[in-house]
Amino acid sequence: MRKILFVDRDGTLIHEPPDFQIDCYTKIRFVEGMLPALLRLQAAGYTLVMVSNQDGLGTDAFPQRDFDGPHGLLMQLLESQGVRFAEVLVDPSLPTENSPNRKPATGMLRHYLADDGWSRAASAVIGDRESDVQLAANLGVRAFRIGPELGWDAIVHALVDRPRTARVRRATRETRIAVDLDLDRSAEPSADTGIGYFDHMLEQIGKHAGIALAIRCEGDLEVDEHHTVEDCALALGQALREALGDKRGIGRYGDADATVPDAAPAGTARVRVPMDESLASAALDLSGRPYFVFDGSFPRERVGGLPTELVPHFFRSFCETALMSLHLSVRGENAHHMVEGCFKAVARALRTAVARSGGTDLPSTKGTL
């Protein structure tokens, strides 16, 4: 589906003068970083549409000819560098007229609202005023407000580089959970669930997957550990799914480990993690289909405050909301080593599967994941 950027003019493409009118050539000053940003956005497949309020245009105070000359030069300069707007929409009304065409109203954009051929989730409004932010809300798209804290470089980073982050807040009568995840940044992991050994295992995921992960949970531990472990897995899976977005450019499976037997599927993100006498093996696929297979048994019922029966349940719940297929096996004698090996193996497999290839291809013949 098409991706559209609805771009304001004054204050966004060119600096807005104190009298708010670009009515002569000497008032044209480009906003820093605007031109290379628009070129990158076009190259990333975005369609550009200019949407501008020009108060009183066509009146004696702001004659049409005074607008046309500078505006025409602006458009010519942009086009000479390869920047092309598919449409230029200008509302000349004054605020007191309450025109349905004046931003943030959507009168000038009715044909886009009636068109289902463009993606609201992938599109955005870029402007410098609160009216642009409100226009975005009225269109059902993201808003980027240019100002001292947000420039064109940051907007391009958000739209083109697609930072893969997620923030999930999950609250039930049993648990209150906050997960912050960044797949493209390494950081010291943080976990606080009230179960010390479980915190240690969640931190293994962040550390060995090479991601930034913070998870906090207030659960009904006075009942037992089940709800805390299960709901943390569900929230973490949701965060992973949201951060991955459309999954373009990811490994999905990653590279097969050299130690994997020939029977393993080619390209599967399969990892073996030894911890002394124990050996854990994980193979995962970010397929969009939840499935979990576990092979192993633990020699004791608890490690620290974590019941070992909840270890496979954690990963099953994780798969359900991450929409991921996971095969996990473990053998050994020391339950602590075995459980930790499971978490590390899944983390290492996840690290390979979420890694970006540098392209934008979708790793699926179906056209969707």
Side-chain angles (χ1 to χ4, degrees), residues 117-176:
W118 58 284
S119 169
R120 273 64 172 173
S123 300
V125 170
I126 303 175
D128 68 313
R129 294 191 178 190
E130 180 58 33
S131 58
D132 296 302
V133 175
Q134 186 58 53
L135 175 65
N138 293 340
L139 292 174
V141 302
R142 297 173 68 183
F144 293 95
R145 185 174 181 179
I146 285 183
E149 298 180 356
L150 182 68
W152 275 105
D153 286 347
I155 293 172
V156 171
H157 175 63
L159 291 171
V160 178
D161 298 333
R162 297 177 296 130
R164 298 179 300 171
T165 62
R167 170 171 287 189
V168 170
R169 301 294 183 261
R170 189 177 194 273
T172 70
R173 292 182 178 179
E174 299 162 341
T175 58
R176 291 172 299 282

Side-chain angles (χ1 to χ4, degrees), residues 52 103 152 208 219 256 295:
S52 177
K103 291 188 299 182
W152 275 105
H208 292 280
D295 181 18

Side-chain angles (χ1 to χ4, degrees), residues 21 25 33 36 93 105 107 131 146 152 163 182 199 201 222 237 245 255 261 264 277 302-303 314 333 344 347 351 356:
Q21 290 185 357
Y25 298 103
S93 69
S131 58
I146 285 183
W152 275 105
D182 187 338
D199 292 346
M201 294 303 98
E222 70 279 3
D255 297 325
E277 87 301 337
R302 304 179 73 87
V303 178
F314 171 87
E333 299 174 358
K344 286 181 176 178
R351 182 184 195 130
R356 281 173 157 167

Side-chain angles (χ1 to χ4, degrees), residues 167-179 216-220 227-228 230-232 234-236 238:
R167 170 171 287 189
V168 170
R169 301 294 183 261
R170 189 177 194 273
T172 70
R173 292 182 178 179
E174 299 162 341
T175 58
R176 291 172 299 282
I177 299 174
V179 178
R216 299 177 301 281
C217 175
E218 297 178 6
D220 55 354
H227 296 146
T228 290
E230 179 182 66
D231 288 3
C232 282
L234 294 172
L236 180 59
Q238 179 184 342

